[in-house]
Amino acid sequence: MQGPARILIVGKDTGNDKKMAKVLAEGGFECAMGDIAQSAAELCGSRRPDVVILNMQSAPARKAPDTFLALAKTLKASPLSSRLRIMLVGTDKNMELADAAADIDDLLIGPVNPAQICHRLCSLVRLNTMHEELVRRLNTSAKYGLDAPAAISPPSHIDNATVLVLGDPTQFAMIEHSLAKHATLIGALSEGTALDYLTRRDFDAVLINAAAAIEPHIDFAKVVRGHSRLFNLPIVVLADRDELEKCPQVFESDITDAIAKPYSRDELRIRINLLVRESRFRNSLKKIYQQAKHIATSDALTGLYSRGFALEHITTMVKDAQRTSQGFSLANLSIANMAEINETLGYASADRIIRQVGEVIGLLIRGEDMAARYSGTEFILALPDTPAERAQKAVLRIKGVVAHTEFAVEGHHAPISVRLDTHLAGFRQVDTAESLIKRSRSVDLRAAA
């Protein structure tokens, strides 16, 4: 991705274009707008879009919606599809979308909400980042003489999802009627029960039916994200449109998406299906990242990448960033109380704590992030296409989870607490791999953002 993610909006909407462009620019996106004919030049240019938004509220789309749906089908069948995401926004609730769902990656029905679009774009763009970083990672692995895993594509349809439903039980029948043919639904009458279910079995999504205010559900989503295994689980809230407008922070929270009431059965089914497709594709990419690892590139104690691989890969990331202006951040995490742990457990058992901390870090990072053991108690984390202020949130989350994890070793009955020191540096055009690593070991986490 060259510089900021590029968004192409097809279909001019005079009343909302300026507001949309402003919100996307504030979100760090580069935006282009035009009709279908003008969009062809953008799609064939040297700076191709990362996401195409088909604005179904625009006058041309209202007049000829099938033309816009045909464009989605054409793009999905083109060579661009491997790194191009397609979003339909402002779609009429009565439009027949069952066939179109296979050709799009996201869908927002009803009045355009620029904040929600920006929220969803961030997730779609990350899929492109995951794919591009995977190619770079495999190229680094090839320098060690390792073969690449087979390529994969997003699933075309999901009909075996497992969805946890939480919240107002009075509308469970409506939800069940919408999803039961395509998913297994499990209801939870309380947040405590929901968390218990989530820790004991795998789910494809959580659907929260808000009876009133949304804020308590934002807090619940934050708790869910504190569990490393649930970090990327789609969490969707159903809420009255008035409540969504009163709570704009929902699109800046740990909730994946929101669906305004009243909604149609097709809308709920397609929206959940698309989010589960995205989640499964993300998980599949993450598995390929794991398959790409090899004993030749891994640290023997933690299973994370080795220092040598990290240095080689960060050198490549720096060269790519200097060529394309795609930024990234580098974090340093070290065990602050290691001397105390060594004294309490002895060096052999303390090594087992280092291994466990490495395992937690490996579970908490996104698929595209690279974690390596840099020295004895020191880890580095490369976050592609992530500025320092966003990287700070990710690193603080890891620090918090580690701080609240009770580590244990055989023969020592009391739980062991681990404190991490964290530092962070964002890439600068003048950086080398060595200078960036040096800054990442010395710049305070909060000062970097």
Side-chain angles (χ1 to χ4, degrees), residues 30 58 82 118 137 143 197 204 224 253 268 274 278 327 360 420:
E30 181 183 320
S58 64
S82 64
C118 193
R137 194 85 55 89
K143 296 178 181 179
Y197 286 159
D204 288 289
V224 172
S253 69
L268 180 59
L274 290 172
E278 177 186 327
V360 171
L420 292 181

Side-chain angles (χ1 to χ4, degrees), residues 371-391:
R373 185 182 178 211
Y374 191 70
S375 66
T377 62
E378 186 179 0
F379 305 88
I380 56 174
L381 179 61
L383 301 96
D385 194 23
T386 306
E389 59 270 20
R390 292 216 313 265

Side-chain angles (χ1 to χ4, degrees), residues 134-144:
L134 178 59
V135 171
R136 182 164 47 225
R137 194 85 55 89
L138 294 176
N139 286 338
T140 304
S141 297
K143 296 178 181 179
Y144 289 79

Side-chain angles (χ1 to χ4, degrees), residues 49-162:
D50 300 286
V51 180
V52 172
I53 295 177
L54 302 180
N55 185 0
M56 305 305 288
Q57 283 195 337
S58 64
R62 291 198 301 269
K63 184 177 181 180
D66 289 346
T67 303
F68 281 65
L69 298 180
L71 175 60
K73 184 177 289 294
T74 299
L75 291 175
K76 216 55 171 174
S78 76
L80 299 174
S81 63
S82 64
R83 66 173 310 277
L84 179 68
R85 307 295 162 216
I86 302 170
M87 176 187 282
L88 257 62
V89 303
T91 310
D92 187 274
K93 288 181 179 291
N94 298 318
M95 183 179 292
E96 178 53 55
L97 292 170
D99 293 335
D103 303 314
I104 59 177
D105 298 287
D106 212 340
L107 166 72
L108 299 179
I109 289 179
V112 171
N113 183 327
Q116 185 175 17
I117 292 173
C118 193
H119 182 66
R120 293 299 306 140
L121 283 175
C122 289
S123 182
L124 293 177
V125 168
R126 296 264 14 132
L127 284 179
N128 287 343
T129 299
M130 284 187 77
H131 180 265
E132 292 176 359
E133 169 61 15
L134 178 59
V135 171
R136 182 164 47 225
R137 194 85 55 89
L138 294 176
N139 286 338
T140 304
S141 297
K143 296 178 181 179
Y144 289 79
L146 305 178
D147 294 331
I152 61 167
S153 300
S156 59
H157 183 71
I158 301 293
D159 57 8
N160 61 343
T162 303

Side-chain angles (χ1 to χ4, degrees), residues 278-294:
E278 177 186 327
S279 177
R280 288 197 180 179
F281 183 47
R282 189 183 306 278
N283 290 336
S284 296
L285 286 173
K286 195 167 183 177
K287 287 180 181 178
I288 292 185
Y289 276 104
Q290 294 298 324
Q291 293 170 10
K293 279 189 178 180
H294 189 273

